[in-house]
Amino acid sequence: MSGGPVFACTAQLASFGPIVVHIYPKDDGHVRLALLDPAHPDEVVMTDSTDGSLLHAYERVDCMTHVFGAAIYNINRQMLDVSLTFGSEAEADKFARTIFSRFTGGADESKTWMYPTKCGTLQKASGCVDRHQNRWFLFQRNCWLSYWKSPRDQLPLGVIDWRSVRRVGVPGMVLDKPGDFEIEVQRGTSGTRVYQLRAKNSDAAAGWIDVLTSRPLADIPEPAQEEVGGVEAPLVAAAAASPAERGAWRPVFGVPLDTLLTIEERQGSVPTIVAVVVNLIAAEAASCTAQLFDGRGSPSFVFAAKATMEAGNNPAGVFDSCPDKLRVAGSLLLKFLYELPDPVCTDARALAFLSAATAPSPVESLREIVDDLPECASTLLQYLVAFLKLVAQHQDENGLTPHALAAAVGPAIFRELSVLAAPQHSDAATAVLTLLMSESDAIWSSSPALVQMPAFQNLTWKLLLVGRLL
């Protein structure tokens, strides 16, 4: 093997004894695991790679033990499970971080909740009756369950945010086969979705259910705050460089807003995808058309931009290659807002927003509700209102009046209002957003802070002062 190992330590290999563990880098972020006999350093007991069969089955049994699926041992040519027990939890964590670095974006030792605890191949039911397709599943503790065609792929086919999971268990239908189990997921305000999965047998299904339900469905831990002289130091509003520079996949759509900001290290700011779309449309606001937010941008380009951002790359090339780039950008923003598990107005305050629109003092009511919003939701709402006001300033050129913009974007921001409003208030979302745009100076007591544009490879973004838009 060319070059030195990126990880080396000793461990106990079941059915063998003490072993030397080496991990070598390969192309495209993959790594090769090599187990060496300490008594004969040149003798390789077992070797396999993450783009080979190493990850066809894996589970972290406890804090110090990793078990991989059956592999061929070079010494006696037997097919045995690879069970490695390390001397300390720190070594076991570092091993997991190195093996799965391609799938975790290089997560450091402080983000153990991103380390996978199980992966393997399951059959996933498709839209057709009794049709199942092989998919490779990767479960990251207290984080998300993603499914891929194979570990060799650059991006997953889909992801299940673990905070939206409501139930994991065996189906109740008599006709289900051994090994079947299902995951029920809450999909914002549109009800639930059930993922029907099939393992090779009932024992394998039970193993998946145990892992998926053995840990509490807790949120990603909040960033720790350092104390200086007994006083808590404030959190940095925005990171100097976005993790998008890492070029590794991370979820963007269907992730809770506070979780996404934590992943992107942009607390106090807005998600990268929102900043990208606003930066593009704001620069060409006068060139927009009345169809900017009709949600009918070219689907292939919308999904290409989505996949590019999830890969941590700059989507400018995708936008530049499509004939209706502004419409595609508008559709991408709407898709992001509609797929937030909790809408920008939040489920808990949807009725309050609805009541405020018809209150005797609507501005005062809206100010109180906005002040009560979580910081991440309030910041995003203020930013979107400022952006829409900028677009409306060019209504003579683009035909997008404040009411037209509110009618197009309001149902996505105040998603619950479309469900909760009575027939006579069918335009409640539009009315609320129109009021926020016209009275923004009175509703928000201070101007938004500088919003830092995302930092991508080979590109420097300018800072956009949102205050000038209000």
Side-chain angles (χ1 to χ4, degrees):
M1 300 179 188
S2 59
V6 294
F7 174 87
C9 77
T10 58
Q12 288 288 328
L13 176 61
S15 303
F16 185 85
I19 204 77
V20 177
V21 181
H22 282 181
I23 299 177
Y24 296 87
K26 293 188 66 179
D27 294 335
D28 202 20
H30 288 286
V31 296
R32 175 171 291 277
L33 172 66
L35 305 181
L36 311 177
D37 186 350
H40 307 88
D42 295 332
E43 189 170 298
V44 178
V45 177
M46 193 283 299
T47 181
D48 205 343
S49 61
T50 54
D51 58 350
S53 60
L54 180 64
L55 298 182
H56 76 277
Y58 162 84
E59 183 175 343
R60 185 161 185 176
V61 179
D62 55 42
C63 60
M64 292 190 291
T65 303
H66 301 267
V67 178
F68 295 88
I72 297 178
Y73 283 56
N74 295 339
I75 296 177
N76 48 22
R77 306 303 296 175
Q78 285 185 310
M79 182 77 81
L80 300 172
D81 287 348
V82 180
S83 178
L84 293 171
T85 302
F86 293 85
S88 67
E89 186 175 352
E91 285 184 342
D93 281 347
K94 187 175 181 181
F95 174 81
R97 188 164 67 250
T98 308
I99 285 288
F100 290 97
S101 60
R102 182 176 186 268
F103 306 98
T104 61
D108 58 34
E109 60 272 11
S110 66
K111 299 179 181 177
T112 56
W113 44 268
M114 289 190 69
Y115 300 165
T117 55
K118 190 174 179 66
C119 68
T121 300
L122 296 171
Q123 290 187 324
K124 176 179 174 291
S126 66
C128 300
V129 177
D130 200 27
R131 179 188 176 189
H132 288 70
Q133 296 175 313
N134 285 335
R135 294 291 181 255
W136 183 74
F137 282 77
L138 178 70
F139 178 58
Q140 291 166 264
R141 182 182 62 194
N142 289 352
C143 200
W144 46 78
L145 176 68
S146 55
Y147 52 96
W148 315 55
K149 280 189 176 180
S150 79
R152 303 179 185 87
D153 289 353
Q154 290 287 344
L155 296 172
L157 298 173
V159 63
I160 302 172
D161 179 62
W162 210 241
R163 279 148 296 280
S164 64
V165 171
R166 295 292 174 264
R167 184 179 65 85
V168 179
V170 178
M173 295 179 61
V174 178
L175 298 178
D176 290 324
K177 297 181 180 179
D180 283 4
F181 66 101
E182 59 188 22
I183 301 174
E184 183 178 338
V185 178
Q186 182 68 37
R187 303 185 67 184
T189 61
S190 60
T192 60
R193 175 179 178 180
V194 177
Y195 291 85
Q196 297 175 334
L197 307 175
R198 178 174 294 168
K200 60 183 179 181
N201 53 47
S202 57
D203 290 339
W208 272 98
I209 294 174
D210 287 343
V211 171
L212 296 176
T213 59
S214 62
R215 293 180 173 85
L217 305 183
D219 289 337
I220 294 174
E222 294 292 333
Q225 292 184 331
E226 298 180 359
E227 292 190 1
V228 181
V231 180
E232 289 188 350
L235 291 175
V236 179
S242 167
E245 289 183 310
R246 298 172 184 167
W249 179 86
R250 70 199 192 292
V252 175
F253 288 72
V255 181
L257 184 57
D258 56 344
T259 301
L260 179 59
L261 292 172
T262 301
I263 294 171
E264 295 186 340
E265 299 175 11
R266 292 177 63 84
Q267 297 91 338
S269 184
V270 296
T272 300
I273 184 172
V274 177
V276 167
V277 171
V278 168
N279 196 45
L280 173 65
I281 297 178
E284 303 182 35
S287 304
C288 298
T289 65
Q291 293 76 36
L292 176 65
F293 292 114
D294 66 355
R296 297 181 180 179
S298 302
S300 58
F301 287 104
V302 172
F303 284 97
K306 172 182 178 290
T308 301
M309 294 209 64
E310 288 176 336
N313 297 320
N314 176 23
V318 176
F319 291 134
D320 291 340
S321 62
C322 57
D324 55 346
K325 68 176 180 180
L326 298 180
R327 200 176 182 186
V328 166
S331 300
L332 188 68
L333 179 61
L334 288 179
K335 179 176 175 61
F336 170 77
L337 294 175
Y338 273 117
E339 292 190 11
L340 282 174
D342 197 18
V344 179
C345 72
T346 72
D347 291 336
R349 298 164 185 83
L351 282 175
F353 273 107
L354 176 61
S355 301
T358 56
S361 302
V363 175
E364 182 63 30
S365 299
L366 284 174
R367 185 189 301 119
E368 293 178 0
I369 301 170
V370 167
D371 289 342
D372 187 50
L373 282 173
E375 181 185 1
C376 58
S378 178
T379 301
L380 178 57
L381 178 60
Q382 184 181 13
Y383 184 58
L384 290 172
V385 168
F387 161 61
L388 294 175
K389 288 186 65 175
L390 173 66
V391 176
Q393 288 177 5
H394 300 272
Q395 58 183 293
D396 292 340
E397 294 89 355
N398 57 34
L400 291 167
T401 64
H403 184 272
L405 288 168
V409 183
I413 296 178
F414 302 100
R415 196 169 63 231
E416 282 296 309
L417 301 188
S418 302
V419 178
L420 297 173
Q424 63 268 31
H425 296 119
S426 58
D427 294 330
T430 302
V432 171
L433 186 53
T434 301
L435 189 58
L436 286 172
M437 293 172 64
S438 62
E439 303 294 339
S440 58
D441 291 334
I443 293 173
W444 281 281
S445 57
S446 60
S447 298
L450 280 172
V451 176
Q452 188 173 15
M453 292 297 101
F456 292 100
Q457 293 176 346
N458 304 321
L459 182 66
T460 301
W461 292 79
K462 297 180 180 179
L463 294 179
L464 177 64
L465 182 60
V466 180
R468 65 183 173 88
L469 307 181
L470 293 176

